[in-house]
């Protein structure tokens, strides 16, 4: 089988430490798919990255054809098939949202340009570094020769969180819950929607609303808990989620590579074409999608009630504001 080249940025960071083994072990691209793994981080992190490199070697993994640790963008993006853009500027004490966005616009503009210049035109890009939707938008805009459909951002962690909370509430396995949707931004305005979700329990296949029998919770406490889960993990761990983020990255990329199963959809932040669910054209917005032949399609025709509409619009409004601010920084750097 032909070796594929996979880039992970922020490779010396904590998400990468939970992620790299799964990729190198074949859990994402397939158990028969040899991989050349490229690890990018910034210069001051090169000695940490050397340690990660040594550990990957020491795992003695048969699918790991080659490991390339680097701080050189050209080396990192050259001929890659997949880019998992995890690295980003973290929010520091006293930093405004605007400052964070400004620093990250620069990073994702540079990485978008590198994708444009050095990567395969078929490359699939997943942006994880926050603010993930807007960073993804900037990378996409900076890579005009790569199809916009090849860019996505991570909202699978939110989907997994929501799915798990429903399962815990019902005393079922997560695998019994399907088609929870995350709409919008990977932020506290995201909308975890169970209107069209189902569970498989003793009564057969029933809607989540019917199984849970607590509409107030599904529209209140549940939504808030998923929206605030990232902050709750940071408060408890003093670090942002890493193990669960890495698992969600694996789920996202595996499904993009191999497709979704019949009757199931997943949530991904992808480009809005303006024709689905009243979401403005050009935003990177989380939609329910199905995937076949490595191409995602937004699930059509879901009914949207007033409650959902308001939340979906609120998240779109936040994304429009982020986009406008980011584009202003981008135009100033041009
Ligand atoms: P971390 O600080 O442990 O690691 C980030 C790494 O990125 C560091 O090693 C840093 O040196 C590196 N980095 C910074 N700028 C870089 C650049 N220009 N090129 C390459 N590497 C660079 O952070 P982490 O816990 O691994 O989280 C990474 C990002 O993922 C953060 O932005 C975090 O907020 C985000 N995150 C997103 C989700 C999601 O669901 N979308 C979930 C969890 C975390
Ligand atoms: C998460 O959802 O866990 C992270 O995006 C939180 C963060 O700000 O890093």
């Amino acid at each position: 089988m032909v070796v594929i080249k996979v880039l992970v940025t922020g490779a010396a960071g904590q998400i990468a430490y939970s992620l790299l083994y799964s990729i190198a072990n074949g859990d994402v691209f397939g158990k028969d798919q040899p991989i050349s793994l490229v690890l990018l981080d910034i210069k001051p992190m090169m000695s940490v990255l050397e340690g990660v490199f040594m550990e990957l070697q020491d795992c003695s993994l048969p699918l790991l054809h080659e490991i390339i640790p680097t701080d050189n963008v050209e080396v990192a993006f050259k001929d890659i098939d997949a880019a998992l853009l995890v690295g980003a500027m973290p929010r520091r004490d006293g930093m405004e949202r605007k400052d964070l966005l400004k620093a990250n616009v620069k990073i994702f503009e540079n990485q978008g340009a590198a994708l444009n210049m050095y990567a395969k035109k078929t490359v699939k890009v997943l942006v994880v570094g926050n603010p993930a939707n807007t960073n993804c938008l900037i990378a996409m805009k900076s890579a005009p020769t790569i199809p916009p459909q090849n860019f996505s951002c991570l909202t699978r962690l939110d989907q997994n969180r929501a799915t798990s909370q429903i399962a815990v509430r019902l005393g079922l396995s997560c695998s019994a819950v399907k088609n929870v949707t995350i709409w919008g931004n990977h932020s506290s305005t995201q909308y975890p929607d169970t209107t069209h979700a189902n569970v498989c329990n003793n009564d057969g296949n029933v809607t989540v609303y019917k199984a849970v029998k607590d509409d107030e919770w599904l529209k209140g406490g549940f939504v808030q808990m998923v929206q605030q889960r990232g902050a709750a993990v940071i408060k408890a761990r003093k670090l942002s989620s890493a193990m669960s983020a890495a698992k969600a990255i694996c789920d996202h990329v595996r499904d993009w590579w191999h497709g979704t199963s019949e009757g199931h959809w997943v949530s991904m932040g992808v480009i809005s074409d303006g024709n689905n669910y009243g979401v403005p054209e050009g935003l990177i917005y989380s939609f329910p999608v199905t995937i076949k032949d490595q191409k995602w399609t937004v699930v059509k025709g879901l009914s949207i009630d007033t409650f959902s509409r308001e939340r979906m619009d609120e998240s779109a409004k936040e994304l429009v504001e982020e986009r406008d601010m980011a584009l202003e920084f981008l135009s100033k750097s041009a």
Side-chain angles (χ1 to χ4, degrees), residues 163 166-167 170 172-180 197-200 208:
T163 301
I166 300 291
L170 294 171
L172 296 169
S173 153
C174 296
S175 61
V177 183
K178 70 169 191 176
N179 296 345
V180 173
N198 290 298
V199 295
C200 193
V208 163

Side-chain angles (χ1 to χ4, degrees), residues 103-234:
N104 280 301
V105 162
K106 195 81 221 140
I107 292 175
F108 285 87
E109 181 189 11
N110 288 339
Q111 296 190 348
L115 281 163
N116 201 48
M117 200 138 30
Y118 306 121
K120 288 187 183 162
K121 297 303 169 200
T122 51
V123 66
K124 304 274 185 295
V125 184
L126 166 62
V127 177
V128 178
N130 279 320
N133 299 53
T134 301
N135 288 342
C136 181
L137 182 81
I138 296 301
M140 184 195 81
K141 283 198 177 295
S142 306
T145 64
I146 295 170
Q149 291 75 14
N150 291 20
F151 288 80
S152 66
C153 80
L154 189 74
T155 56
R156 183 62 170 265
L157 176 54
D158 308 299
Q159 177 191 319
N160 288 350
R161 287 168 171 163
T163 301
S164 182
Q165 287 309 313
I166 300 291
V168 167
R169 171 90 181 205
L170 294 171
L172 296 169
S173 153
C174 296
S175 61
V177 183
K178 70 169 191 176
N179 296 345
V180 173
T181 301
I182 304 297
W183 300 99
N185 200 1
H186 172 69
S187 76
S188 57
T189 68
Q190 67 173 272
Y191 171 45
D193 178 9
T194 52
T195 316
H196 306 282
N198 290 298
V199 295
C200 193
N201 63 13
N202 291 338
D203 299 330
N205 208 7
V206 298
T207 67
V208 163
Y209 268 82
K210 215 169 186 171
V212 171
K213 300 187 186 75
D214 187 349
D215 294 15
E216 200 182 315
W217 179 71
L218 285 170
K219 291 184 173 191
F222 162 77
V223 171
Q224 282 147 23
M225 117 87 92
V226 178
Q227 289 174 333
Q228 297 296 333
R229 189 66 159 189
V233 171
I234 291 174

Side-chain angles (χ1 to χ4, degrees), residues 10 13-15 41-42 45 86-88 107 111 128-130 154 186 241:
Q14 48 148 5
I15 292 180
D41 212 296
I42 53 176
M45 296 303 287
V86 178
I107 292 175
Q111 296 190 348
V128 178
N130 279 320
L154 189 74
H186 172 69
S241 52

